């Protein structure tokens, strides 16, 4: 029997619940889907807001024991600060590449707490490595930018805001600190400042020191260019090339500027420091000013000049010859033969007529193509002794021409060991022939390979070329003077300071003390200042006041150097004053320099020191460029302004006592003597008493 469904007697109509439930489920599914999309949209907006708006402007990317590195997203800067963020050591602007928003940088080396890694939009890789292997209070960050492609320039700029910077390269108008300098971007190599006054010279190191207690040392194996914008920043940049050239440098922080320099400055080289022949400290250097066209005439001039120095009571001295005069004497036959084959008693000269004089001769790695010696070199088959290029036609060697002292010349091929040995033996023979103890090695500036667009051999790229020449010159002995140097502060050589203008500017008198402090900070304590009055104009000085103020400064430097004889420029009383200052240098300064030379050998501390060496935390001391210390015990504060007989003098060291060497009055350190009187005859000197 078929099943019969019971009749519904309810007044509620019958409803199909299955179909209604289906309709309701579809509605809820749509609502849930819309809600999910809305939530996802809100979350996306929130994340974007967090990253772009609500995200802090800076975040720590690596932390050390005392400091750390912060990424500042607004300025695209790396900032080194104390962990408490109460002190900024340095701000490094890296916003020059790429110009895109980097709201948050994430460490790709997060497993290693001493490293930070990041990739900038597939353009460049950044790696920062923390180094703790130093004394307490000092730590370093090794920063490495590696381009991902060729022809990418990498550039970092170091802020000068609230920081005074020192180091780098010498300048034609030296400032201390270098914040007041403007320099266009150019390769960081030493140039001849006579022909290229806006270049770098004559002492250069890839080392910079900041008053906040920070140092920057750029890797010595990479080519770099540097620019300086006054009171804003200095920038280090790699050149565009077909190779991926990294930018690598180390930033170190310490408790004070002095402490970080004592830690890091000693790492500029790994070799033991050596002293040059310091006998020259007791011999004033007088540059011979005659212009001779024959050796016989030159000999007469030298004997006459020497006799004048003796007659004026200027004591034992060293007479400096330029390269032209040196070559004249080198070619002289000192035992002439009678043309008839009979020795003439009148002609026979025997020993060299100037061997009894103390001569400083000058040589260079150049040879004029018109000179007889160069022609002889070619005849002797020594054409490979000069920097040359191979001909593509017959594979013959053709010397590369350059200009030296307004003449077309060739330059010694320092890549040839035979050429270098031949040159050194030639100079040694010349020293022996003329009885000269000291020799000046000119023409060390620049890089011939860079100037001639020649691919340099390994080890002679960029500023390494000058360093190689300095090392070559040092093989002549510890009585060698070089006109430029780098990477060689440990060598036993003297460095000739750049020629200066005969005026009161930073290119003249006012630039002497900044140069002294610059040379000494970089480890070049044994320098020879430009001759009193300046030699750039190649004329005698006629300004009596300028001569005296210049004389007073040079008296306290390692070597006293003269170009203008005082009997030529000035009255007799200036000649008497010159004798007094020469005696002061001989009896007081030279022994003091040799005393602190021993400290330099053992510790690396400079002989000539800025006042902030003692007043390490006094911002006033950071910018004083007209005072200097010899060791920690003598303060020199000369007059460097024309027509002035008063000046303010800063006495460093809050716990020091300073005695005026003239009046014997004692003053407290950490104070400023206002409107201190100093006549034209005097130079303010203060001696530490406690």
């Amino acid at each position: 029997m078929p099943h019969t469904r019971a009749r519904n007697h309810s007044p509620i109509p019958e409803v199909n619940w299955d179909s209604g439930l289906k309709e309701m489920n579809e509605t809820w599914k749509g609502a849930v889907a819309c809600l999910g999309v809305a939530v996802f949209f809100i979350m996306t907006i929130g994340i974007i807001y967090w990253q772009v708006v609500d995200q802090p402007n800076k975040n720590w990317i690596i932390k050390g024991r005392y400091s750390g590195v912060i990424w500042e997203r607004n300025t695209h800067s790396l900032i080194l600060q104390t962990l408490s963020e109460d002190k900024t050591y340095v701000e490094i602007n890296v916003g020059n590449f790429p110009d895109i928003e980097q709201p948050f940088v994430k460490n790709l080396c997060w497993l290693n707490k001493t490293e930070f890694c990041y990739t900038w939009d597939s353009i460049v890789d950044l790696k920062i490595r923390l180094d703790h292997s130093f004394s307490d209070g000092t730590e370093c960050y090794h920063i490495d930018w590696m381009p991902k492609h060729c022809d990418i320039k990498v550039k970092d700029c170091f802020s000068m805001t609230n920081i005074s910077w020192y180091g780098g390269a010498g300048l034609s108008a030296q400032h201390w600190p270098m914040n007041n300098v403007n320099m266009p971007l150019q390769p960081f190599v030493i140039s001849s400042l006579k022909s290229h006054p806006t270049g770098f010279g004559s002492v250069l190191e890839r080392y910079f020191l900041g008053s906040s207690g920070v140092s920057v040392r750029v890797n010595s194996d990479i080519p770099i260019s540097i620019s300086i914008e006054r009171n804003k920043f200095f920038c280090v940049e790699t050149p565009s090339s077909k190779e991926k050239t990294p930018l690598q440098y180390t930033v170190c922080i310490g408790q004070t500027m002095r402490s970080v320099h004592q830690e890091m400055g000693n790492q500029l080289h790994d070799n033991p420091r050596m002293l040059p022949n310091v006998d020259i400290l007791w011999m004033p250097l007088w540059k011979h000013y005659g212009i001779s066209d024959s050796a016989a005439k030159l000999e007469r001039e030298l004997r006459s000049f020497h006799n004048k120095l003796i007659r004026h009571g200027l004591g034992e001295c060293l007479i400096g010859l330029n390269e032209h005069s040196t070559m004249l004497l080198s070619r002289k036959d000192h035992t002439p033969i009678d043309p008839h084959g009979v020795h003439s008693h009148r002609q026979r000269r025997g020993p060299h007529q100037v061997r009894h004089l103390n001569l400083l001769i000058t040589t260079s790695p150049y040879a004029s193509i018109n000179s007889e010696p160069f022609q002889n070199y070619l005849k002797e088959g020594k054409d490979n002794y000069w920097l040359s290029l191979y001909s593509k036609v017959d594979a013959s060697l053709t010397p590369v021409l350059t200009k030296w002292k307004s003449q077309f010349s060739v330059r010694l091929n320092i890549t040839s060991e035979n050429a270098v040995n031949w040159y050194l033996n030639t100079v040694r023979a010349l020293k022996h022939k003329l009885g000269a103890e000291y020799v000046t090695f000119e023409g060390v500036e620049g890089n011939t390979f860079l100037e001639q667009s020649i691919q340099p051999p390994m080890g002679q790229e960029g500023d390494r070329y000058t360093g190689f020449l300095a090392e070559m010159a040092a093989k002549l002995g510890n009585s060698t003077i070089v006109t430029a140097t780098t990477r060689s502060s440990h060598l036993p050589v003297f460095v000739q300071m750049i020629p200066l203008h005969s005026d009161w500017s930073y290119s003249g008198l006012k630039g002497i003390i900044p140069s002294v402090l610059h040379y000494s900070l970089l480890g070049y304590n044994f320098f020879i200042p430009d001759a009193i009055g300046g030699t750039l104009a190649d004329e005698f000085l006629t300004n009596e006041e300028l001569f005296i103020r210049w004389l007073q400064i040079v008296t306290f430097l390692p070597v006293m150097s003269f170009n203008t004889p005082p009997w030529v420029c000035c009255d007799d009383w200036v000649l008497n004053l010159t004798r007094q200052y020469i005696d002061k240098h001989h009896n007081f300064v030279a022994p003091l320099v040799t005393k602190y030379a021993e400290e330099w050998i053992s510790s690396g501390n400079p002989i000539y020191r800025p006042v902030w060496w003692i007043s390490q935390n006094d911002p006033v001391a950071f910018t004083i460029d007209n005072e200097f210390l010899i060791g920690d015990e003598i303060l020199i504060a000369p007059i460097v302004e024309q027509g002035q007989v008063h000046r303010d003098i800063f006495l460093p060291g809050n716990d020091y006592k300073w005695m005026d060497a003239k009046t014997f009055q004692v003053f407290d350190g950490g104070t400023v003597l206002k409107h201190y009187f100093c006549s034209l005859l005097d130079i303010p000197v203060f001696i530490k008493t406690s």
Side-chain angles (χ1 to χ4, degrees), residues 515-525 527 606-609:
S515 295
V516 167
L517 298 175
H518 171 75
Y519 278 58
S520 294
L521 182 73
L522 297 183
Y524 299 95
N525 292 276
F527 49 82
I607 296 175
Y608 291 90
R609 303 170 185 177

Side-chain angles (χ1 to χ4, degrees), residues 137 152 201 672 678:
I152 292 179
V672 177
C678 175

Side-chain angles (χ1 to χ4, degrees), residues 653-684:
N654 292 334
D655 55 346
Y656 278 51
K657 298 286 187 180
W658 295 96
M659 181 183 71
D660 188 325
K662 181 181 180 182
T663 66
F664 304 107
Q665 186 175 357
V666 177
F667 302 92
D668 292 329
T671 59
V672 177
L673 302 182
K674 291 286 188 178
H675 212 55
Y676 182 90
F677 177 73
C678 175
S679 73
L680 184 59
L681 300 178
D682 301 314
I683 177 173

Side-chain angles (χ1 to χ4, degrees), residues 96-160:
N96 53 292
F97 71 90
D99 191 17
I100 59 175
E101 181 68 28
Q102 293 289 341
F104 186 80
V105 289
K106 183 179 180 181
N107 189 3
L108 302 180
C109 301
W110 59 274
L111 291 176
N112 189 338
K113 293 185 178 181
T114 63
E115 290 186 352
F116 172 84
C117 308
Y118 190 76
T119 298
W120 247 261
D121 198 35
S122 300
I123 295 177
V124 66
D125 288 334
L126 169 64
K127 184 174 183 179
I128 303 177
R129 180 171 59 85
L130 177 63
D131 189 349
H132 289 302
S133 59
F134 301 97
S135 60
D136 290 343
T138 302
E139 55 191 5
C140 295
Y141 299 87
H142 303 285
I143 299 177
D144 186 346
W145 295 96
M146 175 59 72
K148 306 274 292 180
H149 311 285
C150 300
D151 295 324
I152 292 179
K153 297 180 181 180
V154 186
K155 177 181 178 182
D156 280 3
C157 294
F158 299 83
S159 173
M160 291 180 173

Side-chain angles (χ1 to χ4, degrees), residues 170-176 180-181 193 197 498 500 505-508 511 514-515:
L171 306 171
S172 58
Q174 192 72 49
H175 285 73
W176 181 271
N180 294 322
V181 172
L193 296 183
I498 63 172
L500 298 173
S505 70
Y506 280 100
S507 298
S515 295

Side-chain angles (χ1 to χ4, degrees), residues 1 7 24 77 101 127 142 160 184 192 219 264 269 273 335 375 389 398 417 485 515 561:
M1 178 176 184
R7 188 183 303 270
M24 184 179 67
S77 298
E101 181 68 28
K127 184 174 183 179
H142 303 285
M160 291 180 173
S192 173
N219 189 317
M264 308 314 303
H269 55 78
R273 289 175 283 269
T335 55
Q375 301 300 324
L389 294 176
T398 302
E417 184 178 355
T485 188
S515 295
S561 179

Side-chain angles (χ1 to χ4, degrees), residues 275-278 280 360-361 363 423-424 427-428 431 437-442 444 469-484 491-496 526-528:
L275 287 177
N277 184 353
V278 295
I280 194 175
L360 165 64
I361 61 174
T363 185
Y423 178 81
L424 293 176
V427 178
R428 292 188 186 104
K431 289 179 62 178
E437 177 69 24
Y438 290 88
V439 56
T440 296
F441 189 59
E442 289 186 329
V444 189
L469 285 171
E471 291 180 2
M472 186 184 84
K475 295 178 181 178
L476 293 170
N478 65 350
S479 299
T480 303
I481 302 164
V482 294
T483 54
L491 294 178
V493 297
F494 282 88
V495 184
Q496 175 66 58
F526 296 95
F527 49 82
I528 298 179

